[in-house]
Amino acid sequence: MTRLVWTTAGESHGAALVGILEGLPAGIELDLARLDAELARRQQGYGRGGRMKIEQDHVRVLSGMRAGKTLGSPLALLIENRDHTIEKLGVPTSARPGHADLAGCQKLGERDPRAVLERASARETAMRTALGAAARQVLEAFGVELFAHVVELGGSAARPDAWETAGERRAQLRAASAFAALDPQVEERWIAAVDAAKEAGDTLGGIFELRVCGLPPGLGGYQNAGERLTGRVGAALLSIPAIKGVEFGLGFEAARRRGSEVHDAIVRRDGPHGRFGRATNRAGGLEGGMTTGEELVVRVAMKPISTLRRGLETVDFETGESVLSTWQRSDVTSVPAASVVGEAVVALELTRAFLERFGGDSLEQVRSAHAAYLAELARL
Ligand code: EPS
């Protein structure tokens, strides 16, 4: 049995993105259409730019499967780039503020932002989305569902109870939204905000919320820093380009309240995960670095895209003069896309934690370990 690990390769305008996911148990009937569906979802959202009209992301499986099932060997995926122009693209003469350009050039000791930006580009998140869409199928086999929706755009918020109000209609509402949001009232307002920012040559950030239902208690660990799931899920989300903040449950608000208004009472609740539950879920589903069995609730802040049509002040490498950064095309906002990537990276991290606890070489072995744990929880 291998610990679940993954990696990607590929430049934004290179031939393709490549991904390897190692440690999936054998015997999972992977629905590959789901991978393409998640890729399509990541390409959508009002405010996306010209590049998304060029790409039509599609995954090819190169290894790790036979007759529709995983073999337990590394799963290798490929997404071809239609905009394969890396050798034709010029070298920018200045670094774009907000991007990896300058720090990357300093790191490499080269005046060549393209040597940095091709890999630093958020194009890479297409492959993470595909890998996450494969990994989450393990979780789904055990009733665990992930769902992200956009709750704020450019400082304008959806109704705070959008999740509760949407109820069973949430998948339908999100699919109908131009922003992967659950509150239909935001559509007109946010479209106007994106149009205004576009007109001004500017960009918008926002916040998405991720919910994970059906997690058993006790995933992750308290024994060592590296096991704590709060840090692991937080790090996964903060590794997405442009993500600036992550909060669980009450988040920063918890720091302003008294303990009696923060902690969740433990109550008797007979269910599939034993005899205990929490009266409230202000912790957002994690205590002591482990899942509590309540919903995981994470909110994630994304800064506005760093490429602005109006330009930002920078310095020309050759002349040393102050100039405006260059612009060819860009998104005005990609918060809806980031929410899809958020689901994917958290799916990867939670699948890793799930397999650490119940892992086996085959899905059947995982099922046995999971069933034994449920029996143990029922006795506690
Ligand atoms: C990106 C710049 C844009 C985005 C890109 C991320 O690409 P281009 O420079 O080709 O216009 O479209 O995102 C994607 C290609 C994608 O698939 O999400 C950047 O600088 O990070």
Side-chain angles (χ1 to χ4, degrees):
M1 196 185 97
T2 321
R3 181 177 149 85
L4 193 84
V5 287
W6 57 272
T7 191
T8 71
E11 278 70 45
S12 180
H13 305 94
L17 300 169
V18 174
I20 295 184
L21 178 59
E22 210 178 327
L24 277 183
I28 304 166
E29 275 182 48
L30 273 190
D31 178 357
L32 296 177
R34 283 283 307 285
L35 275 59
D36 279 352
E38 290 301 301
L39 288 175
R41 205 154 74 78
R42 195 198 69 92
Q43 287 199 257
Q44 288 159 18
Y46 195 77
R48 290 286 253 162
R51 178 79 187 269
M52 288 304 98
K53 293 191 180 79
I54 302 173
E55 302 299 337
Q56 265 186 353
D57 294 335
H58 163 67
V59 171
R60 253 178 73 202
V61 177
L62 303 182
S63 76
M65 288 187 73
R66 183 169 146 261
K69 289 188 180 177
T70 55
L71 286 166
S73 51
L75 182 75
L77 305 179
L78 182 107
I79 301 170
E80 282 184 27
N81 284 327
R82 288 191 166 195
D83 199 18
H84 177 194
T85 47
I86 193 166
E87 299 297 350
K88 294 182 214 139
L89 292 165
V91 175
T93 54
S94 62
R96 299 161 308 159
H99 279 286
D101 297 12
L102 183 56
C105 279
Q106 288 167 325
K107 187 175 168 66
L108 295 178
E110 284 201 42
R111 289 177 176 178
D112 179 1
R114 188 155 301 284
V116 177
L117 69 89
E118 281 292 333
R119 178 61 182 160
S121 163
R123 175 75 188 139
E124 182 264 353
T125 63
M127 183 47 78
R128 292 199 220 179
T129 302
L131 296 174
R136 71 190 288 171
Q137 294 186 38
V138 175
L139 297 172
E140 285 166 1
F142 296 90
V144 179
E145 300 281 344
L146 297 98
F147 191 99
H149 59 114
V150 177
V151 296
E152 204 174 303
L153 196 90
S156 159
R159 55 187 289 179
D161 60 350
W163 170 262
E164 289 81 7
T165 312
E168 295 303 304
R169 291 169 57 235
R170 55 187 182 241
Q172 198 187 328
L173 283 168
R174 186 179 68 179
S177 166
F179 295 96
L182 297 182
D183 173 7
Q185 306 260 349
V186 301
E187 299 293 307
E188 232 176 275
R189 204 162 75 227
W190 289 1
I191 286 174
V194 170
D195 289 347
K198 187 174 182 181
E199 182 68 28
D202 224 320
T203 56
L204 296 177
I207 299 175
F208 67 87
E209 180 180 82
L210 172 64
R211 301 221 171 209
V212 188
C213 312
L215 287 165
L219 297 186
Y222 57 89
Q223 282 101 337
N224 265 308
E227 294 173 29
R228 288 185 172 258
L229 213 48
T230 319
R232 290 165 58 176
V233 170
L237 288 161
L238 287 164
S239 75
I240 302 170
I243 298 306
K244 291 290 143 188
V246 173
E247 60 175 13
F248 294 90
L250 279 183
F252 271 39
E253 174 61 20
R256 302 184 191 106
R257 295 192 186 183
R258 288 185 170 194
S260 56
E261 296 162 338
V262 167
H263 301 293
D264 304 305
I266 295 171
V267 292
R268 266 299 299 272
R269 193 199 297 147
D270 292 310
H273 295 138
R275 302 185 304 130
F276 306 102
R278 304 294 193 283
T280 49
N281 185 24
R282 296 182 285 215
L286 292 171
E287 279 174 350
M290 294 167 289
T291 52
T292 61
E294 302 296 320
E295 234 167 67
L296 180 67
V297 185
V298 199
R299 271 178 309 279
V300 185
M302 182 184 199
K303 71 175 180 177
I305 298 274
S306 310
T307 310
L308 274 66
R309 184 166 52 77
R310 62 189 284 177
L312 287 168
E313 190 183 334
T314 182
V315 175
D316 188 280
F317 277 125
E318 291 305 324
T319 66
E321 309 243 305
S322 184
V323 290
L324 280 181
S325 56
T326 53
W327 182 88
Q328 274 160 348
R329 66 182 177 208
S330 73
D331 303 329
V332 176
T333 190
S334 60
V335 184
S339 75
V340 179
V341 181
E343 274 185 26
V345 296
V346 172
L348 285 161
E349 198 52 47
L350 291 178
T351 306
R352 181 182 288 156
F354 193 90
L355 292 174
E356 276 164 12
R357 186 66 183 73
F358 308 118
D361 291 306
S362 71
L363 185 62
E364 279 318 303
Q365 290 168 8
V366 180
R367 281 195 200 286
S368 305
H370 182 256
Y373 183 56
L374 294 193
E376 196 178 282
L377 283 177
R379 286 195 299 272
L380 188 71

